[in-house]
């Protein structure tokens, strides 16, 4: 994730805020891993005028056991909370996703 190897440590939200000082009319980023979407990132998207209020958040399963086996670093509930937090901060923000299915050993019920 952006900035984890910086000293001092920086976040992607910090980067977006720093870009607001430049003469850029539109900033759009794509594919945010749920593990790295924070309330701070949501606020940065909301507060920086040039950043498009749009999130693309892929999910690989709606089943917590499958997500754990995949070592995805989030749960289905965490994913839903992210969407709820975005909706509270920016009710009209665009949301899109990729769905990846068919993990080895996944049952019909887990699917």
């Amino acid at each position: 994730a952006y900035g984890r190897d910086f000293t001092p440590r920086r976040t992607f939200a910090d980067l977006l805020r720093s870009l607001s000082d430049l003469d850029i009319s539109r900033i759009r980023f794509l594919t945010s891993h749920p593990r790295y979407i924070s309330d701070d990132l949501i606020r940065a998207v909301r507060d920086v005028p040039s950043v498009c209020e749009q999130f693309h958040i892929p999910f690989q399963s709606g089943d917590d056991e499958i997500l754990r086996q995949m070592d995805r670093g989030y749960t289905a509930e965490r994913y839903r909370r992210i969407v709820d937090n975005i909706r509270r901060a920016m009710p009209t923000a665009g949301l899109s996703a990729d769905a990846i299915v068919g993990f080895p050993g996944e049952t019909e019920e887990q699917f």
Side-chain angles (χ1 to χ4, degrees):
Y2 175 83
R4 295 180 75 162
D5 57 342
F6 293 175
T7 304
R9 196 174 201 177
R10 299 283 186 230
T11 66
F12 187 61
D14 295 330
L15 174 64
L16 291 177
R17 287 186 186 98
S18 70
L19 294 174
S20 70
D21 295 335
L22 303 175
D23 187 23
I24 299 174
S25 60
R26 183 179 300 169
I27 299 169
R28 181 185 309 268
F29 66 93
L30 204 55
T31 308
S32 302
H33 189 290
R35 180 182 295 177
Y36 302 118
I37 297 181
S38 65
D39 289 341
D40 189 39
L41 177 61
I42 293 168
R43 284 190 301 272
V45 171
R46 179 194 65 201
D47 296 342
V48 177
S50 58
V51 176
C52 297
E53 291 184 347
Q54 189 270 336
F55 291 84
H56 183 82
I57 314 167
F59 60 93
Q60 293 187 296
S61 179
D63 183 83
D64 289 343
E65 175 59 23
I66 295 297
L67 289 167
R68 187 192 64 71
Q69 289 177 28
M70 297 171 101
D71 195 28
R72 298 314 298 159
Y74 65 93
T75 63
E77 175 59 28
R78 167 82 175 117
Y79 189 95
R80 286 189 292 272
R81 261 193 330 255
I82 290 167
V83 171
D84 289 344
N85 291 343
I86 291 168
R87 284 289 178 231
R88 269 195 298 282
M90 294 165 283
T92 60
L95 292 170
S96 60
D98 297 323
I100 303 168
V101 297
F103 188 72
E106 183 176 40
T107 66
E108 284 292 321
E109 184 178 287
Q110 291 169 315
F111 177 76

